[in-house]
Amino acid sequence: MSATVAQKITAALFDYFCEFDAEALLASFQQPDQAAEAGIIRNFLGTRITPAVYPSVLTAMAGTVEPVPHPGNWHADIAEWAAALRTVALAQAQGQTVYRIVELGCGWGCWLTNMGVAARARGLGVDLIGIEGDRYHLQSARDVLQLNGFGPDQFALHHGVAGPKPGKAIFPVHAVEGANWGAEPVFYPPEQILQAAEKDPRVQVLDCFPLDKLSQGQPIDLLHIDIQGAEYDYVHGNAQAMARHVRRVLIGTHSRIVEGQLCAHFLSLGWRMEMERPAIAPLVNGRPEIRIDGVQLWANPALL
C-alpha cells in the first residue's frame, strides 16, 4: 500500500456522520490514570486484552495503555466505538438496571467485553451474548471475558452461525488456529452436500441461530452484526424479531451494495440512522477493494 493510499484511508476514518458528539462520548468513557500491566494491553475503557487474541498485532503492545481512539485503534474507529458506547450511555440515562448486547460473529468477544466493561463502570448489570463459528476465537472470547471479571452468569457464548432461520451451515476449519477473521459460512446446503461436509475435516457443520434463539425473547440494547457480507440476509430474515426486541443495531458493512440494501431496508421500516461511515474501499485494478468495514447504527423507534 502506498503512503498516499494509507493517508487517505486514515483520513476517511473521520468521514462519519451522526447527530451527537462522537468524540465527546468516547472521552466520557475514558478511565484515567490506568497503570500499565505486564503482558496485558489495556484500552481507554479499562478493558484488559492478552496478546494471544491477535499475536501479530498485540505482542508488541503488551504492557501498554491505549489512549482514546483518534481516529481509531488496532480494531475499530471513532464511528464504531461511539455507536456502540452510545447504547451504554442511553441505557444508563433511561434508568435501566441491565445492559444486554448480542454480538454476531463475536470473534474474541471484542464488543461483548468492551461494552460489558463500559456498562459495569456505569453501574449496570450485564447480559453478554455471543455467537462464533471458529472454536479458537470462541475460546479467546471466553478467556478475555473471564480476564475482565465476568462470570458465567453474565455471559453466554454459542458455537454456531447467525442465520435468518434455523437449519445448518457449513463453516471452514482453519489449519492455523485463530489465523482467519473473515470466514464465510455456506447456509442451508442441500442434504447431499451436508452429508459430504460431515465427513470433510476441512469444514464443520454448525447450527444456525436466528435472533429469537439467541436472545430468548429478551430486550437487546445493542445487536452487533459483523458476519462477512451476510448482513442484509440476516436483518431481512430476522426483521420481525428485531422489531420486537432490538433497540439498536450496529452493523459492520462489507460492500457498498450491502450498505444500500441496509439503508433501503431500515428506512422502509421507519428505523432511524444514528451513525454512518461508509466502507473504505480504494480502487484496485478498477474495482473497489474493502480495506475497512463500514459502520451503520440504526435505532428502532418502537423501543426508544
Side-chain angles (χ1 to χ4, degrees), residues 79-102:
E80 191 165 14
W81 278 111
L85 288 170
R86 176 171 171 78
T87 67
V88 176
L90 290 171
Q92 180 194 24
Q94 291 162 3
Q96 294 176 214
T97 58
V98 175
Y99 173 85
R100 182 172 293 107
I101 173 176
V102 174

Side-chain angles (χ1 to χ4, degrees), residues 22-131:
E23 294 191 52
L25 181 62
L26 265 63
S28 74
F29 277 91
Q30 184 177 18
Q31 296 296 314
D33 304 322
Q34 293 190 66
E37 184 177 355
I40 296 292
I41 301 96
R42 300 182 73 106
N43 68 18
F44 72 108
L45 299 175
T47 303
R48 303 167 72 220
I49 307 162
T50 63
V53 163
Y54 200 172
S56 62
V57 172
L58 297 181
T59 299
M61 296 173 59
T64 63
V65 177
E66 289 187 280
V68 174
H70 191 270
N73 60 6
W74 61 276
H75 63 86
D77 64 325
I78 291 172
E80 191 165 14
W81 278 111
L85 288 170
R86 176 171 171 78
T87 67
V88 176
L90 290 171
Q92 180 194 24
Q94 291 162 3
Q96 294 176 214
T97 58
V98 175
Y99 173 85
R100 182 172 293 107
I101 173 176
V102 174
E103 184 178 4
L104 310 182
C106 69
W108 60 270
C110 165
W111 298 105
L112 297 179
T113 308
N114 280 304
M115 294 307 102
V117 168
R120 185 173 60 193
R122 296 288 176 100
L124 298 170
V126 297
D127 187 13
L128 315 173
I129 303 165
I131 183 169

Side-chain angles (χ1 to χ4, degrees), residues 55-269:
S56 62
V57 172
L58 297 181
T59 299
M61 296 173 59
T64 63
V65 177
E66 289 187 280
V68 174
H70 191 270
N73 60 6
W74 61 276
H75 63 86
D77 64 325
I78 291 172
E80 191 165 14
W81 278 111
L85 288 170
R86 176 171 171 78
T87 67
V88 176
L90 290 171
Q92 180 194 24
Q94 291 162 3
Q96 294 176 214
T97 58
V98 175
Y99 173 85
R100 182 172 293 107
I101 173 176
V102 174
E103 184 178 4
L104 310 182
C106 69
W108 60 270
C110 165
W111 298 105
L112 297 179
T113 308
N114 280 304
M115 294 307 102
V117 168
R120 185 173 60 193
R122 296 288 176 100
L124 298 170
V126 297
D127 187 13
L128 315 173
I129 303 165
I131 183 169
E132 171 60 45
D134 186 296
R135 286 187 183 275
Y136 179 88
H137 293 330
L138 203 63
Q139 184 58 51
S140 292
R142 184 172 289 105
D143 293 343
V144 172
L145 284 161
Q146 292 172 345
L147 177 67
N148 284 277
F150 295 110
D153 60 330
Q154 296 174 298
F155 68 85
L157 298 175
H158 302 275
H159 185 220
V161 175
K165 61 183 181 180
K168 299 291 184 180
I170 299 172
F171 195 82
V173 174
H174 302 290
V176 180
E177 288 187 335
N180 190 289
W181 295 91
E184 297 182 37
V186 177
F187 287 99
Y188 316 115
E191 185 62 28
Q192 184 177 2
I193 294 176
L194 198 60
Q195 290 177 1
E198 294 276 12
K199 303 173 184 177
D200 189 342
R202 297 170 300 177
V203 298
Q204 54 188 324
V205 175
L206 300 177
D207 288 330
C208 297
F209 286 70
L211 185 61
D212 278 336
K213 188 174 181 179
L214 289 171
S215 69
Q216 300 297 311
Q218 296 297 311
I220 299 167
D221 295 293
L222 175 60
L223 174 62
H224 189 286
I225 303 177
D226 187 353
I227 48 177
Q228 305 306 316
E231 307 90 65
Y232 173 73
D233 290 340
Y234 185 87
V235 301
H236 184 264
N238 287 277
Q240 292 185 358
M242 290 176 63
R244 290 193 303 267
H245 306 305
V246 177
R247 293 188 173 102
R248 283 174 174 80
V249 55
L250 173 55
I251 307 175
T253 63
H254 294 80
S255 78
R256 298 291 173 77
I257 294 171
V258 170
E259 289 174 347
Q261 291 174 325
L262 291 170
C263 283
H265 171 82
F266 282 111
L267 290 173
S268 71
L269 296 177

